PDB file of all heavy atoms in Angstrom:
ATOM      1  N   PHE A   1       0.820  -1.206   0.000  1.00 97.00           N
ATOM      2  CA  PHE A   1       0.000   0.000   0.000  1.00 97.00           C
ATOM      3  C   PHE A   1       0.859   1.263   0.000  1.00 97.00           C
ATOM      4  O   PHE A   1       0.511   2.249  -0.642  1.00 97.00           O
ATOM      5  CB  PHE A   1      -0.973  -0.007   1.181  1.00 97.00           C
ATOM      6  CG  PHE A   1      -2.221  -0.789   0.917  1.00 97.00           C
ATOM      7  CD1 PHE A   1      -2.267  -2.151   1.146  1.00 97.00           C
ATOM      8  CD2 PHE A   1      -3.355  -0.160   0.423  1.00 97.00           C
ATOM      9  CE1 PHE A   1      -3.409  -2.882   0.894  1.00 97.00           C
ATOM     10  CE2 PHE A   1      -4.515  -0.875   0.159  1.00 97.00           C
ATOM     11  CZ  PHE A   1      -4.550  -2.239   0.400  1.00 97.00           C
ATOM     12  N   ARG A   2       1.984   1.230   0.713  1.00 96.00           N
ATOM     13  CA  ARG A   2       2.893   2.393   0.694  1.00 96.00           C
ATOM     14  C   ARG A   2       3.384   2.642  -0.722  1.00 96.00           C
ATOM     15  O   ARG A   2       3.423   3.782  -1.182  1.00 96.00           O
ATOM     16  CB  ARG A   2       4.105   2.169   1.602  1.00 96.00           C
ATOM     17  CG  ARG A   2       3.921   2.477   3.017  1.00 96.00           C
ATOM     18  CD  ARG A   2       5.227   2.543   3.814  1.00 96.00           C
ATOM     19  NE  ARG A   2       6.163   1.445   3.587  1.00 96.00           N
ATOM     20  CZ  ARG A   2       7.220   1.508   2.764  1.00 96.00           C
ATOM     21  NH1 ARG A   2       7.493   2.602   2.093  1.00 96.00           N
ATOM     22  NH2 ARG A   2       8.021   0.465   2.628  1.00 96.00           N
ATOM     23  N   ALA A   3       3.755   1.570  -1.417  1.00 96.00           N
ATOM     24  CA  ALA A   3       4.255   1.686  -2.793  1.00 96.00           C
ATOM     25  C   ALA A   3       3.188   2.286  -3.711  1.00 96.00           C
ATOM     26  O   ALA A   3       3.494   3.144  -4.548  1.00 96.00           O
ATOM     27  CB  ALA A   3       4.704   0.329  -3.308  1.00 96.00           C
ATOM     28  N   ARG A   4       1.955   1.856  -3.538  1.00 96.00           N
ATOM     29  CA  ARG A   4       0.845   2.399  -4.346  1.00 96.00           C
ATOM     30  C   ARG A   4       0.704   3.904  -4.190  1.00 96.00           C
ATOM     31  O   ARG A   4       0.351   4.606  -5.122  1.00 96.00           O
ATOM     32  CB  ARG A   4      -0.484   1.761  -3.948  1.00 96.00           C
ATOM     33  CG  ARG A   4      -0.655   0.348  -4.371  1.00 96.00           C
ATOM     34  CD  ARG A   4      -2.034  -0.132  -3.985  1.00 96.00           C
ATOM     35  NE  ARG A   4      -2.117  -1.582  -4.030  1.00 96.00           N
ATOM     36  CZ  ARG A   4      -3.176  -2.274  -3.649  1.00 96.00           C
ATOM     37  NH1 ARG A   4      -4.244  -1.635  -3.171  1.00 96.00           N
ATOM     38  NH2 ARG A   4      -3.177  -3.576  -3.725  1.00 96.00           N
ATOM     39  N   HIS A   5       0.964   4.376  -2.976  1.00 96.00           N
ATOM     40  CA  HIS A   5       0.795   5.799  -2.664  1.00 96.00           C
ATOM     41  C   HIS A   5       2.102   6.591  -2.737  1.00 96.00           C
ATOM     42  O   HIS A   5       2.100   7.797  -2.507  1.00 96.00           O
ATOM     43  CB  HIS A   5       0.166   5.963  -1.282  1.00 96.00           C
ATOM     44  CG  HIS A   5      -1.248   5.482  -1.209  1.00 96.00           C
ATOM     45  ND1 HIS A   5      -2.319   6.204  -1.687  1.00 96.00           N
ATOM     46  CD2 HIS A   5      -1.769   4.314  -0.742  1.00 96.00           C
ATOM     47  CE1 HIS A   5      -3.424   5.526  -1.511  1.00 96.00           C
ATOM     48  NE2 HIS A   5      -3.117   4.364  -0.936  1.00 96.00           N
ATOM     49  N   GLY A   6       3.200   5.902  -3.027  1.00 97.00           N
ATOM     50  CA  GLY A   6       4.488   6.593  -3.117  1.00 97.00           C
ATOM     51  C   GLY A   6       4.946   7.182  -1.800  1.00 97.00           C
ATOM     52  O   GLY A   6       5.546   8.246  -1.766  1.00 97.00           O
ATOM     53  N   ILE A   7       4.670   6.464  -0.703  1.00 97.00           N
ATOM     54  CA  ILE A   7       5.004   6.941   0.638  1.00 97.00           C
ATOM     55  C   ILE A   7       6.175   6.124   1.173  1.00 97.00           C
ATOM     56  O   ILE A   7       6.154   4.895   1.133  1.00 97.00           O
ATOM     57  CB  ILE A   7       3.797   6.793   1.586  1.00 97.00           C
ATOM     58  CG1 ILE A   7       2.611   7.629   1.081  1.00 97.00           C
ATOM     59  CG2 ILE A   7       4.158   7.204   3.001  1.00 97.00           C
ATOM     60  CD1 ILE A   7       1.330   7.377   1.851  1.00 97.00           C
ATOM     61  N   THR A   8       7.193   6.785   1.680  1.00 97.00           N
ATOM     62  CA  THR A   8       8.323   6.080   2.279  1.00 97.00           C
ATOM     63  C   THR A   8       7.971   5.654   3.705  1.00 97.00           C
ATOM     64  O   THR A   8       6.992   6.138   4.293  1.00 97.00           O
ATOM     65  CB  THR A   8       9.582   6.962   2.338  1.00 97.00           C
ATOM     66  OG1 THR A   8       9.334   8.042   3.255  1.00 97.00           O
ATOM     67  CG2 THR A   8       9.966   7.496   0.962  1.00 97.00           C
ATOM     68  N   GLN A   9       8.790   4.773   4.257  1.00 98.00           N
ATOM     69  CA  GLN A   9       8.599   4.383   5.651  1.00 98.00           C
ATOM     70  C   GLN A   9       8.685   5.601   6.561  1.00 98.00           C
ATOM     71  O   GLN A   9       7.888   5.739   7.488  1.00 98.00           O
ATOM     72  CB  GLN A   9       9.639   3.348   6.060  1.00 98.00           C
ATOM     73  CG  GLN A   9       9.436   1.999   5.426  1.00 98.00           C
ATOM     74  CD  GLN A   9      10.543   1.016   5.765  1.00 98.00           C
ATOM     75  OE1 GLN A   9      11.665   1.419   6.066  1.00 98.00           O
ATOM     76  NE2 GLN A   9      10.223  -0.269   5.706  1.00 98.00           N
ATOM     77  N   ALA A  10       9.642   6.471   6.300  1.00 98.00           N
ATOM     78  CA  ALA A  10       9.813   7.666   7.124  1.00 98.00           C
ATOM     79  C   ALA A  10       8.602   8.582   7.019  1.00 98.00           C
ATOM     80  O   ALA A  10       8.150   9.142   8.030  1.00 98.00           O
ATOM     81  CB  ALA A  10      11.083   8.406   6.718  1.00 98.00           C
ATOM     82  N   ASP A  11       8.067   8.753   5.813  1.00 97.00           N
ATOM     83  CA  ASP A  11       6.881   9.595   5.624  1.00 97.00           C
ATOM     84  C   ASP A  11       5.699   9.045   6.425  1.00 97.00           C
ATOM     85  O   ASP A  11       4.997   9.794   7.115  1.00 97.00           O
ATOM     86  CB  ASP A  11       6.475   9.669   4.149  1.00 97.00           C
ATOM     87  CG  ASP A  11       7.448  10.461   3.297  1.00 97.00           C
ATOM     88  OD1 ASP A  11       8.201  11.295   3.846  1.00 97.00           O
ATOM     89  OD2 ASP A  11       7.451  10.231   2.067  1.00 97.00           O
ATOM     90  N   LEU A  12       5.480   7.738   6.302  1.00 98.00           N
ATOM     91  CA  LEU A  12       4.361   7.119   7.014  1.00 98.00           C
ATOM     92  C   LEU A  12       4.554   7.244   8.518  1.00 98.00           C
ATOM     93  O   LEU A  12       3.609   7.578   9.244  1.00 98.00           O
ATOM     94  CB  LEU A  12       4.214   5.652   6.598  1.00 98.00           C
ATOM     95  CG  LEU A  12       3.049   4.896   7.231  1.00 98.00           C
ATOM     96  CD1 LEU A  12       1.712   5.563   6.944  1.00 98.00           C
ATOM     97  CD2 LEU A  12       3.041   3.446   6.746  1.00 98.00           C
ATOM     98  N   ALA A  13       5.765   7.011   8.973  1.00 98.00           N
ATOM     99  CA  ALA A  13       6.061   7.133  10.402  1.00 98.00           C
ATOM    100  C   ALA A  13       5.745   8.547  10.899  1.00 98.00           C
ATOM    101  O   ALA A  13       5.099   8.706  11.946  1.00 98.00           O
ATOM    102  CB  ALA A  13       7.521   6.789  10.671  1.00 98.00           C
ATOM    103  N   ASP A  14       6.169   9.562  10.164  1.00 98.00           N
ATOM    104  CA  ASP A  14       5.886  10.946  10.545  1.00 98.00           C
ATOM    105  C   ASP A  14       4.389  11.216  10.597  1.00 98.00           C
ATOM    106  O   ASP A  14       3.895  11.879  11.506  1.00 98.00           O
ATOM    107  CB  ASP A  14       6.537  11.927   9.564  1.00 98.00           C
ATOM    108  CG  ASP A  14       8.045  12.017   9.729  1.00 98.00           C
ATOM    109  OD1 ASP A  14       8.566  11.595  10.791  1.00 98.00           O
ATOM    110  OD2 ASP A  14       8.704  12.506   8.789  1.00 98.00           O
ATOM    111  N   ARG A  15       3.668  10.688   9.623  1.00 97.00           N
ATOM    112  CA  ARG A  15       2.219  10.941   9.535  1.00 97.00           C
ATOM    113  C   ARG A  15       1.438  10.318  10.685  1.00 97.00           C
ATOM    114  O   ARG A  15       0.401  10.850  11.081  1.00 97.00           O
ATOM    115  CB  ARG A  15       1.671  10.425   8.214  1.00 97.00           C
ATOM    116  CG  ARG A  15       2.159  11.213   7.019  1.00 97.00           C
ATOM    117  CD  ARG A  15       1.601  10.641   5.743  1.00 97.00           C
ATOM    118  NE  ARG A  15       2.161  11.292   4.581  1.00 97.00           N
ATOM    119  CZ  ARG A  15       1.712  11.110   3.340  1.00 97.00           C
ATOM    120  NH1 ARG A  15       0.698  10.288   3.114  1.00 97.00           N
ATOM    121  NH2 ARG A  15       2.270  11.739   2.336  1.00 97.00           N
ATOM    122  N   VAL A  16       1.917   9.179  11.189  1.00 98.00           N
ATOM    123  CA  VAL A  16       1.177   8.506  12.263  1.00 98.00           C
ATOM    124  C   VAL A  16       1.839   8.672  13.633  1.00 98.00           C
ATOM    125  O   VAL A  16       1.354   8.145  14.628  1.00 98.00           O
ATOM    126  CB  VAL A  16       0.930   7.012  11.951  1.00 98.00           C
ATOM    127  CG1 VAL A  16       0.093   6.858  10.704  1.00 98.00           C
ATOM    128  CG2 VAL A  16       2.234   6.230  11.847  1.00 98.00           C
ATOM    129  N   GLY A  17       2.957   9.386  13.685  1.00 98.00           N
ATOM    130  CA  GLY A  17       3.579   9.716  14.961  1.00 98.00           C
ATOM    131  C   GLY A  17       4.388   8.618  15.615  1.00 98.00           C
ATOM    132  O   GLY A  17       4.403   8.501  16.841  1.00 98.00           O
ATOM    133  N   VAL A  18       5.062   7.806  14.785  1.00 98.00           N
ATOM    134  CA  VAL A  18       5.957   6.777  15.329  1.00 98.00           C
ATOM    135  C   VAL A  18       7.324   6.910  14.664  1.00 98.00           C
ATOM    136  O   VAL A  18       7.505   7.688  13.740  1.00 98.00           O
ATOM    137  CB  VAL A  18       5.398   5.343  15.103  1.00 98.00           C
ATOM    138  CG1 VAL A  18       4.080   5.164  15.833  1.00 98.00           C
ATOM    139  CG2 VAL A  18       5.259   5.017  13.624  1.00 98.00           C
ATOM    140  N   ARG A  19       8.288   6.128  15.144  1.00 98.00           N
ATOM    141  CA  ARG A  19       9.612   6.119  14.525  1.00 98.00           C
ATOM    142  C   ARG A  19       9.594   5.233  13.286  1.00 98.00           C
ATOM    143  O   ARG A  19       8.788   4.302  13.186  1.00 98.00           O
ATOM    144  CB  ARG A  19      10.647   5.595  15.516  1.00 98.00           C
ATOM    145  CG  ARG A  19      10.835   6.526  16.697  1.00 98.00           C
ATOM    146  CD  ARG A  19      11.737   5.967  17.747  1.00 98.00           C
ATOM    147  NE  ARG A  19      12.821   5.173  17.179  1.00 98.00           N
ATOM    148  CZ  ARG A  19      13.839   4.703  17.858  1.00 98.00           C
ATOM    149  NH1 ARG A  19      13.931   4.929  19.140  1.00 98.00           N
ATOM    150  NH2 ARG A  19      14.775   3.992  17.274  1.00 98.00           N
ATOM    151  N   ARG A  20      10.498   5.489  12.360  1.00 98.00           N
ATOM    152  CA  ARG A  20      10.586   4.690  11.144  1.00 98.00           C
ATOM    153  C   ARG A  20      10.814   3.220  11.482  1.00 98.00           C
ATOM    154  O   ARG A  20      10.287   2.326  10.827  1.00 98.00           O
ATOM    155  CB  ARG A  20      11.715   5.202  10.234  1.00 98.00           C
ATOM    156  CG  ARG A  20      11.754   4.481   8.877  1.00 98.00           C
ATOM    157  CD  ARG A  20      12.987   4.845   8.075  1.00 98.00           C
ATOM    158  NE  ARG A  20      14.214   4.388   8.697  1.00 98.00           N
ATOM    159  CZ  ARG A  20      14.682   3.137   8.629  1.00 98.00           C
ATOM    160  NH1 ARG A  20      14.025   2.216   7.983  1.00 98.00           N
ATOM    161  NH2 ARG A  20      15.810   2.810   9.225  1.00 98.00           N
ATOM    162  N   GLU A  21      11.575   2.963  12.531  1.00 98.00           N
ATOM    163  CA  GLU A  21      11.858   1.592  12.936  1.00 98.00           C
ATOM    164  C   GLU A  21      10.578   0.828  13.286  1.00 98.00           C
ATOM    165  O   GLU A  21      10.484  -0.388  13.068  1.00 98.00           O
ATOM    166  CB  GLU A  21      12.823   1.565  14.129  1.00 98.00           C
ATOM    167  CG  GLU A  21      14.229   1.990  13.782  1.00 98.00           C
ATOM    168  CD  GLU A  21      14.430   3.509  13.733  1.00 98.00           C
ATOM    169  OE1 GLU A  21      13.474   4.286  14.012  1.00 98.00           O
ATOM    170  OE2 GLU A  21      15.549   3.927  13.404  1.00 98.00           O
ATOM    171  N   THR A  22       9.591   1.530  13.812  1.00 97.00           N
ATOM    172  CA  THR A  22       8.305   0.903  14.114  1.00 97.00           C
ATOM    173  C   THR A  22       7.650   0.419  12.832  1.00 97.00           C
ATOM    174  O   THR A  22       7.123  -0.704  12.776  1.00 97.00           O
ATOM    175  CB  THR A  22       7.383   1.886  14.857  1.00 97.00           C
ATOM    176  OG1 THR A  22       8.024   2.301  16.068  1.00 97.00           O
ATOM    177  CG2 THR A  22       6.037   1.259  15.176  1.00 97.00           C
ATOM    178  N   ILE A  23       7.704   1.230  11.786  1.00 97.00           N
ATOM    179  CA  ILE A  23       7.141   0.843  10.493  1.00 97.00           C
ATOM    180  C   ILE A  23       7.891  -0.371   9.942  1.00 97.00           C
ATOM    181  O   ILE A  23       7.281  -1.314   9.421  1.00 97.00           O
ATOM    182  CB  ILE A  23       7.168   2.013   9.491  1.00 97.00           C
ATOM    183  CG1 ILE A  23       6.390   3.228  10.043  1.00 97.00           C
ATOM    184  CG2 ILE A  23       6.645   1.583   8.127  1.00 97.00           C
ATOM    185  CD1 ILE A  23       4.930   2.978  10.327  1.00 97.00           C
ATOM    186  N   VAL A  24       9.211  -0.377  10.088  1.00 97.00           N
ATOM    187  CA  VAL A  24      10.021  -1.514   9.638  1.00 97.00           C
ATOM    188  C   VAL A  24       9.548  -2.794  10.327  1.00 97.00           C
ATOM    189  O   VAL A  24       9.311  -3.815   9.678  1.00 97.00           O
ATOM    190  CB  VAL A  24      11.527  -1.280   9.911  1.00 97.00           C
ATOM    191  CG1 VAL A  24      12.330  -2.548   9.673  1.00 97.00           C
ATOM    192  CG2 VAL A  24      12.053  -0.140   9.058  1.00 97.00           C
ATOM    193  N   HIS A  25       9.397  -2.750  11.649  1.00 97.00           N
ATOM    194  CA  HIS A  25       8.983  -3.931  12.408  1.00 97.00           C
ATOM    195  C   HIS A  25       7.555  -4.354  12.054  1.00 97.00           C
ATOM    196  O   HIS A  25       7.264  -5.550  11.981  1.00 97.00           O
ATOM    197  CB  HIS A  25       9.116  -3.702  13.908  1.00 97.00           C
ATOM    198  CG  HIS A  25      10.539  -3.637  14.366  1.00 97.00           C
ATOM    199  ND1 HIS A  25      11.375  -4.722  14.351  1.00 97.00           N
ATOM    200  CD2 HIS A  25      11.271  -2.603  14.844  1.00 97.00           C
ATOM    201  CE1 HIS A  25      12.572  -4.373  14.807  1.00 97.00           C
ATOM    202  NE2 HIS A  25      12.531  -3.079  15.104  1.00 97.00           N
ATOM    203  N   LEU A  26       6.691  -3.392  11.831  1.00 96.00           N
ATOM    204  CA  LEU A  26       5.326  -3.720  11.419  1.00 96.00           C
ATOM    205  C   LEU A  26       5.325  -4.443  10.079  1.00 96.00           C
ATOM    206  O   LEU A  26       4.627  -5.441   9.899  1.00 96.00           O
ATOM    207  CB  LEU A  26       4.480  -2.449  11.314  1.00 96.00           C
ATOM    208  CG  LEU A  26       4.027  -1.838  12.629  1.00 96.00           C
ATOM    209  CD1 LEU A  26       3.494  -0.435  12.400  1.00 96.00           C
ATOM    210  CD2 LEU A  26       2.974  -2.710  13.277  1.00 96.00           C
ATOM    211  N   GLU A  27       6.110  -3.939   9.132  1.00 96.00           N
ATOM    212  CA  GLU A  27       6.162  -4.545   7.800  1.00 96.00           C
ATOM    213  C   GLU A  27       6.768  -5.945   7.834  1.00 96.00           C
ATOM    214  O   GLU A  27       6.403  -6.798   7.032  1.00 96.00           O
ATOM    215  CB  GLU A  27       6.911  -3.648   6.822  1.00 96.00           C
ATOM    216  CG  GLU A  27       6.116  -2.407   6.472  1.00 96.00           C
ATOM    217  CD  GLU A  27       6.777  -1.547   5.414  1.00 96.00           C
ATOM    218  OE1 GLU A  27       7.904  -1.853   4.964  1.00 96.00           O
ATOM    219  OE2 GLU A  27       6.155  -0.540   5.022  1.00 96.00           O
ATOM    220  N   LYS A  28       7.674  -6.193   8.769  1.00 94.00           N
ATOM    221  CA  LYS A  28       8.271  -7.524   8.910  1.00 94.00           C
ATOM    222  C   LYS A  28       7.367  -8.481   9.680  1.00 94.00           C
ATOM    223  O   LYS A  28       7.615  -9.680   9.710  1.00 94.00           O
ATOM    224  CB  LYS A  28       9.611  -7.424   9.652  1.00 94.00           C
ATOM    225  CG  LYS A  28      10.718  -6.804   8.839  1.00 94.00           C
ATOM    226  CD  LYS A  28      11.997  -6.806   9.644  1.00 94.00           C
ATOM    227  CE  LYS A  28      13.153  -6.237   8.845  1.00 94.00           C
ATOM    228  NZ  LYS A  28      14.401  -6.244   9.643  1.00 94.00           N
ATOM    229  N   GLY A  29       6.337  -7.937  10.307  1.00 90.00           N
ATOM    230  CA  GLY A  29       5.432  -8.768  11.092  1.00 90.00           C
ATOM    231  C   GLY A  29       5.966  -9.121  12.460  1.00 90.00           C
ATOM    232  O   GLY A  29       5.465 -10.026  13.114  1.00 90.00           O
ATOM    233  N   THR A  30       6.985  -8.383  12.924  1.00 92.00           N
ATOM    234  CA  THR A  30       7.570  -8.664  14.235  1.00 92.00           C
ATOM    235  C   THR A  30       7.006  -7.768  15.331  1.00 92.00           C
ATOM    236  O   THR A  30       7.426  -7.859  16.481  1.00 92.00           O
ATOM    237  CB  THR A  30       9.106  -8.509  14.198  1.00 92.00           C
ATOM    238  OG1 THR A  30       9.436  -7.182  13.795  1.00 92.00           O
ATOM    239  CG2 THR A  30       9.729  -9.510  13.236  1.00 92.00           C
ATOM    240  N   TYR A  31       6.075  -6.902  14.975  1.00 93.00           N
ATOM    241  CA  TYR A  31       5.448  -5.997  15.937  1.00 93.00           C
ATOM    242  C   TYR A  31       3.973  -5.915  15.605  1.00 93.00           C
ATOM    243  O   TYR A  31       3.599  -5.740  14.445  1.00 93.00           O
ATOM    244  CB  TYR A  31       6.096  -4.615  15.862  1.00 93.00           C
ATOM    245  CG  TYR A  31       5.482  -3.577  16.769  1.00 93.00           C
ATOM    246  CD1 TYR A  31       5.736  -3.583  18.131  1.00 93.00           C
ATOM    247  CD2 TYR A  31       4.651  -2.586  16.259  1.00 93.00           C
ATOM    248  CE1 TYR A  31       5.173  -2.629  18.967  1.00 93.00           C
ATOM    249  CE2 TYR A  31       4.091  -1.624  17.088  1.00 93.00           C
ATOM    250  CZ  TYR A  31       4.352  -1.653  18.442  1.00 93.00           C
ATOM    251  OH  TYR A  31       3.796  -0.716  19.269  1.00 93.00           O
ATOM    252  N   THR A  32       3.139  -6.074  16.619  1.00 92.00           N
ATOM    253  CA  THR A  32       1.698  -5.965  16.434  1.00 92.00           C
ATOM    254  C   THR A  32       1.252  -4.589  16.914  1.00 92.00           C
ATOM    255  O   THR A  32       1.484  -4.231  18.071  1.00 92.00           O
ATOM    256  CB  THR A  32       0.956  -7.059  17.232  1.00 92.00           C
ATOM    257  OG1 THR A  32       1.441  -8.333  16.799  1.00 92.00           O
ATOM    258  CG2 THR A  32      -0.536  -6.975  17.010  1.00 92.00           C
ATOM    259  N   PRO A  33       0.623  -3.810  16.032  1.00 95.00           N
ATOM    260  CA  PRO A  33       0.244  -2.448  16.411  1.00 95.00           C
ATOM    261  C   PRO A  33      -0.975  -2.427  17.334  1.00 95.00           C
ATOM    262  O   PRO A  33      -1.778  -3.361  17.361  1.00 95.00           O
ATOM    263  CB  PRO A  33      -0.108  -1.811  15.066  1.00 95.00           C
ATOM    264  CG  PRO A  33      -0.652  -2.947  14.261  1.00 95.00           C
ATOM    265  CD  PRO A  33       0.205  -4.133  14.672  1.00 95.00           C
ATOM    266  N   SER A  34      -1.103  -1.333  18.053  1.00 95.00           N
ATOM    267  CA  SER A  34      -2.341  -1.102  18.800  1.00 95.00           C
ATOM    268  C   SER A  34      -3.452  -0.883  17.777  1.00 95.00           C
ATOM    269  O   SER A  34      -3.192  -0.607  16.597  1.00 95.00           O
ATOM    270  CB  SER A  34      -2.201   0.142  19.682  1.00 95.00           C
ATOM    271  OG  SER A  34      -2.083   1.302  18.857  1.00 95.00           O
ATOM    272  N   LEU A  35      -4.670  -0.991  18.221  1.00 95.00           N
ATOM    273  CA  LEU A  35      -5.798  -0.760  17.324  1.00 95.00           C
ATOM    274  C   LEU A  35      -5.767   0.667  16.785  1.00 95.00           C
ATOM    275  O   LEU A  35      -6.004   0.907  15.597  1.00 95.00           O
ATOM    276  CB  LEU A  35      -7.118  -1.031  18.046  1.00 95.00           C
ATOM    277  CG  LEU A  35      -8.380  -0.864  17.219  1.00 95.00           C
ATOM    278  CD1 LEU A  35      -8.338  -1.733  15.964  1.00 95.00           C
ATOM    279  CD2 LEU A  35      -9.596  -1.192  18.067  1.00 95.00           C
ATOM    280  N   ARG A  36      -5.419   1.625  17.638  1.00 97.00           N
ATOM    281  CA  ARG A  36      -5.354   3.020  17.211  1.00 97.00           C
ATOM    282  C   ARG A  36      -4.304   3.206  16.118  1.00 97.00           C
ATOM    283  O   ARG A  36      -4.556   3.849  15.104  1.00 97.00           O
ATOM    284  CB  ARG A  36      -5.046   3.943  18.390  1.00 97.00           C
ATOM    285  CG  ARG A  36      -4.909   5.424  17.971  1.00 97.00           C
ATOM    286  CD  ARG A  36      -4.575   6.323  19.137  1.00 97.00           C
ATOM    287  NE  ARG A  36      -5.619   6.333  20.136  1.00 97.00           N
ATOM    288  CZ  ARG A  36      -6.656   7.172  20.127  1.00 97.00           C
ATOM    289  NH1 ARG A  36      -6.765   8.059  19.168  1.00 97.00           N
ATOM    290  NH2 ARG A  36      -7.562   7.133  21.068  1.00 97.00           N
ATOM    291  N   LEU A  37      -3.112   2.627  16.303  1.00 98.00           N
ATOM    292  CA  LEU A  37      -2.048   2.772  15.308  1.00 98.00           C
ATOM    293  C   LEU A  37      -2.437   2.079  14.006  1.00 98.00           C
ATOM    294  O   LEU A  37      -2.230   2.622  12.918  1.00 98.00           O
ATOM    295  CB  LEU A  37      -0.727   2.220  15.839  1.00 98.00           C
ATOM    296  CG  LEU A  37       0.465   2.287  14.882  1.00 98.00           C
ATOM    297  CD1 LEU A  37       0.713   3.718  14.402  1.00 98.00           C
ATOM    298  CD2 LEU A  37       1.700   1.708  15.540  1.00 98.00           C
ATOM    299  N   ALA A  38      -3.021   0.893  14.108  1.00 97.00           N
ATOM    300  CA  ALA A  38      -3.463   0.181  12.907  1.00 97.00           C
ATOM    301  C   ALA A  38      -4.477   1.023  12.142  1.00 97.00           C
ATOM    302  O   ALA A  38      -4.414   1.133  10.907  1.00 97.00           O
ATOM    303  CB  ALA A  38      -4.065  -1.168  13.282  1.00 97.00           C
ATOM    304  N   TRP A  39      -5.404   1.638  12.857  1.00 97.00           N
ATOM    305  CA  TRP A  39      -6.427   2.485  12.233  1.00 97.00           C
ATOM    306  C   TRP A  39      -5.793   3.713  11.580  1.00 97.00           C
ATOM    307  O   TRP A  39      -6.138   4.073  10.453  1.00 97.00           O
ATOM    308  CB  TRP A  39      -7.462   2.889  13.286  1.00 97.00           C
ATOM    309  CG  TRP A  39      -8.551   3.747  12.734  1.00 97.00           C
ATOM    310  CD1 TRP A  39      -9.627   3.343  11.999  1.00 97.00           C
ATOM    311  CD2 TRP A  39      -8.650   5.160  12.861  1.00 97.00           C
ATOM    312  NE1 TRP A  39     -10.390   4.441  11.670  1.00 97.00           N
ATOM    313  CE2 TRP A  39      -9.808   5.559  12.186  1.00 97.00           C
ATOM    314  CE3 TRP A  39      -7.861   6.130  13.486  1.00 97.00           C
ATOM    315  CZ2 TRP A  39     -10.209   6.888  12.114  1.00 97.00           C
ATOM    316  CZ3 TRP A  39      -8.261   7.453  13.409  1.00 97.00           C
ATOM    317  CH2 TRP A  39      -9.422   7.818  12.732  1.00 97.00           C
ATOM    318  N   GLN A  40      -4.847   4.356  12.277  1.00 98.00           N
ATOM    319  CA  GLN A  40      -4.178   5.532  11.716  1.00 98.00           C
ATOM    320  C   GLN A  40      -3.428   5.180  10.436  1.00 98.00           C
ATOM    321  O   GLN A  40      -3.495   5.914   9.450  1.00 98.00           O
ATOM    322  CB  GLN A  40      -3.196   6.132  12.735  1.00 98.00           C
ATOM    323  CG  GLN A  40      -3.862   6.807  13.894  1.00 98.00           C
ATOM    324  CD  GLN A  40      -2.857   7.232  14.948  1.00 98.00           C
ATOM    325  OE1 GLN A  40      -1.954   6.479  15.313  1.00 98.00           O
ATOM    326  NE2 GLN A  40      -3.019   8.442  15.467  1.00 98.00           N
TER     327      GLN A  40
END
């Protein structure tokens, strides 16, 4: 979905208020987001 929208990990992290590393872990499936973060 990021690729479809041309959004980098850093851009997405900034938009939802987390660190880029959080996005990395989410994409690898090693971190389960809160419902609020998943929704954002």
Side-chain angles (χ1 to χ4, degrees):
F1 277 86
R2 276 193 313 98
R4 288 183 196 175
H5 293 282
I7 299 172
T8 66
Q9 290 176 335
D11 290 338
L12 182 57
D14 287 342
R15 292 179 186 189
V16 298
V18 297
R19 294 174 35 171
R20 186 188 66 80
E21 290 81 2
T22 301
I23 302 300
V24 170
H25 290 292
L26 284 167
E27 289 185 357
K28 288 182 178 180
T30 59
Y31 177 76
T32 302
S34 67
L35 182 56
R36 178 181 297 271
L37 179 56
W39 180 78
Q40 289 173 315

